[in-house]
Amino acid sequence: MNTRIIMTISALILGISGLTLSFLPDLFLNNLGVDSSPITLLLGQIIGGLYFAFAMLNWMSKESLIGGIYNRPITLANLSHFLIVGLAILKVLLKNPDLPILIWATGIIYLVFGILFTRIFFQHPVKSSDVDFITV
């Protein structure tokens, strides 16, 4: 599995979300139908900071060997984040299927990354130089 692509895409998604929530929380929250009270704006900015930090972690480690015992804390952090949030969104969507399409798309993205990071966690990594000799 090419972890470089997965880490890059997750970094971009988290980075864009983090910057949007950090600098335009009212726009983001209004699109979800959430009132722009001072506390929700603050929580949006806090979450944006966390997303941006996660994006930087993934971006900076995308060239590293990831999987199995290699970079296990990074893999476990991503696995925990994406799987927990993905399952939480899924639970809400099953009870409220009429939520906006943005919530559905976010849930799907989170569950896909949760599954990918689960595979990475339990799979031994393949170095990019070894890929040339592997036949499919």
Side-chain angles (χ1 to χ4, degrees):
M1 177 178 297
N2 192 343
T3 58
R4 182 179 178 190
I5 294 171
I6 295 168
M7 297 299 281
T8 301
I9 294 171
S10 68
L12 291 173
I13 290 172
L14 291 171
I16 291 168
S17 299
L19 289 173
T20 303
L21 277 168
S22 293
F23 296 108
L24 301 168
D26 50 344
L27 176 71
F28 192 86
L29 295 172
N30 286 337
N31 283 333
L32 294 176
V34 178
D35 292 333
S36 294
S37 69
I39 194 69
T40 57
L41 292 176
L42 176 62
L43 289 173
Q45 289 176 318
I46 291 170
I47 293 169
L50 291 169
Y51 277 13
F52 189 75
F54 234 118
M56 291 298 100
L57 175 70
N58 288 352
W59 185 262
M60 297 300 288
S61 60
K62 71 181 187 297
E63 300 291 332
S64 301
L65 191 60
I66 299 174
I69 62 170
Y70 300 100
N71 284 310
R72 196 171 197 98
I74 294 170
T75 306
L76 189 56
N78 277 288
L79 166 62
S80 301
H81 170 72
F82 284 110
L83 201 57
I84 290 169
V85 175
L87 291 173
I89 293 172
L90 178 65
K91 180 181 171 184
V92 169
L93 287 172
L94 290 176
K95 290 183 181 180
N96 305 301
D98 57 335
L99 286 173
I101 192 74
L102 181 62
I103 303 293
W104 280 94
T106 303
I108 291 168
I109 290 168
Y110 265 89
L111 287 174
V112 166
F113 276 114
I115 292 166
L116 289 172
F117 279 109
T118 301
R119 278 193 66 197
I120 292 169
F121 185 75
F122 289 109
Q123 190 173 29
H124 187 71
V126 178
K127 293 180 185 176
S128 59
S129 61
D130 294 343
V131 174
D132 297 335
F133 301 107
I134 296 175
T135 58
V136 178

